[in-house]
Amino acid sequence: MKKYKCSVCGYIYDPEKGDPVNGVPPGTPFENLPRSWACPRCGALKPMFHSIGEHIFTHNILRGFYQSEDFVYYVIAVVLFVAGVSIIGVAVMHFLRGFSIINILNAVNDVLLVIIVMEILSTVLMYLTERRISLTPFLIIGLISSIRRILMVSALMSANESMTELQFHHSILDLLVSAGIVLVLIFSYYLLSRVTATSERCIGCPGYEKREEDRPEL
């Protein structure tokens, strides 16, 4: 029986040994593995495997691209972490300046921005560790951004006593649009949760969580 190699991490599936991590018994050919089976080392799906001795040059190039992509993601993760720590420092500085409305508003704005950065960071880390992208963090980022906008506009309306009628109408329109976006995102999150719960779970699908019961029974 042929052995197959993962183009992402180099893991070799040996049919004679099977895959004890995912509950695949010895003697199982690669072709008989379920479609939801994935590399026990990096989570890559079956199409990312190639028979040893076939298309070596092509798969070496492909693996080089994946390694370059990982490097870029690692750099992005470091930048996001540093940015999050820096924003926390700015938020602390706003608190130390006093408890005026503007300072408190800036501090709240900074905290929400940190949450957005951390959500993006968690998405990058999820891809690096599980080789998947979830839609949930992007919906959460959209919700936080819209709520952040609502808080900012509301605070500015309260602080600006000399607001003209035109500015007032623009601010109200801004609040209505932001509130509408919040409702749409909440509804989208609800639909995503329903679809994820009722659809077949597979590694690489949005919202997938690794669980013991997901292991194939052969």
Side-chain angles (χ1 to χ4, degrees), residues 1 13-19 24-30 32-33 218:
M1 291 185 287
Y13 175 78
D14 187 350
E16 296 183 359
K17 298 180 181 179
D19 177 14
V24 178
T28 304
F30 183 83
N32 294 348
L33 294 174
L218 299 176

Side-chain angles (χ1 to χ4, degrees), residues 54-89:
E54 297 180 359
H55 312 296
I56 295 297
F57 178 74
T58 302
H59 285 283
N60 284 338
I61 294 178
L62 183 61
R63 185 180 181 185
F65 278 118
Y66 277 110
Q67 291 175 342
S68 300
E69 183 183 34
D70 284 351
F71 174 76
V72 173
Y73 272 101
Y74 279 116
V75 172
I76 292 174
V78 172
V79 171
L80 289 173
F81 179 79
V82 173
V85 173
S86 302
I87 297 172
I88 292 175

Side-chain angles (χ1 to χ4, degrees), residues 140-157:
I140 294 176
I141 290 171
L143 279 171
I144 296 174
S145 300
S146 300
I147 294 173
R148 180 169 167 253
R149 181 62 182 173
I150 291 174
L151 293 176
M152 289 291 294
V153 173
S154 300
L156 290 174
M157 290 178 66

Side-chain angles (χ1 to χ4, degrees), residues 9 25 33 59 77 81 109 114-115 135 138 156-157 159 163 177-178 195 197:
C9 68
L33 294 174
H59 285 283
F81 179 79
N109 180 64
V114 169
I115 297 176
L135 296 178
F138 294 100
L156 290 174
M157 290 178 66
M163 181 177 292
V177 171
S178 298
V195 170

Side-chain angles (χ1 to χ4, degrees), residues 132-136 139 188-202 204-209 211 214:
R132 69 182 179 91
I133 295 294
S134 174
L135 296 178
T136 303
L139 294 177
S188 300
Y189 180 80
Y190 169 76
L191 291 179
L192 179 63
S193 301
R194 291 292 299 272
V195 170
T196 303
T198 56
S199 64
E200 179 184 0
R201 290 195 299 267
C202 63
C205 293
Y208 174 84
E209 298 290 343
R211 298 179 182 176
D214 292 332

Side-chain angles (χ1 to χ4, degrees), residues 38-185:
C39 176
R41 183 182 297 172
C42 69
L45 298 177
K46 286 183 66 177
M48 301 309 302
F49 280 75
H50 64 275
S51 176
I52 294 180
E54 297 180 359
H55 312 296
I56 295 297
F57 178 74
T58 302
H59 285 283
N60 284 338
I61 294 178
L62 183 61
R63 185 180 181 185
F65 278 118
Y66 277 110
Q67 291 175 342
S68 300
E69 183 183 34
D70 284 351
F71 174 76
V72 173
Y73 272 101
Y74 279 116
V75 172
I76 292 174
V78 172
V79 171
L80 289 173
F81 179 79
V82 173
V85 173
S86 302
I87 297 172
I88 292 175
V90 173
V92 173
M93 290 178 59
H94 284 144
F95 268 118
L96 295 177
R97 290 176 182 175
F99 291 96
S100 64
I101 295 178
I102 298 299
N103 289 337
I104 295 176
L105 177 62
N106 288 331
V108 172
N109 180 64
D110 293 336
V111 170
L112 292 176
L113 185 57
V114 169
I115 297 176
I116 293 174
V117 172
M118 291 299 103
E119 284 295 331
I120 300 175
L121 177 60
S122 68
T123 303
V124 173
L125 295 178
M126 180 188 300
Y127 176 80
L128 289 172
T129 56
E130 302 180 25
R131 298 292 172 181
R132 69 182 179 91
I133 295 294
S134 174
L135 296 178
T136 303
F138 294 100
L139 294 177
I140 294 176
I141 290 171
L143 279 171
I144 296 174
S145 300
S146 300
I147 294 173
R148 180 169 167 253
R149 181 62 182 173
I150 291 174
L151 293 176
M152 289 291 294
V153 173
S154 300
L156 290 174
M157 290 178 66
S158 301
N160 189 3
E161 298 179 355
S162 60
M163 181 177 292
T164 64
E165 184 176 354
L166 181 59
Q167 291 175 334
F168 176 79
H169 288 308
H170 285 169
S171 298
I172 294 297
L173 180 61
D174 198 343
L175 289 175
L176 291 176
V177 171
S178 298
I181 293 175
V182 169
L183 293 177
V184 170
L185 290 175

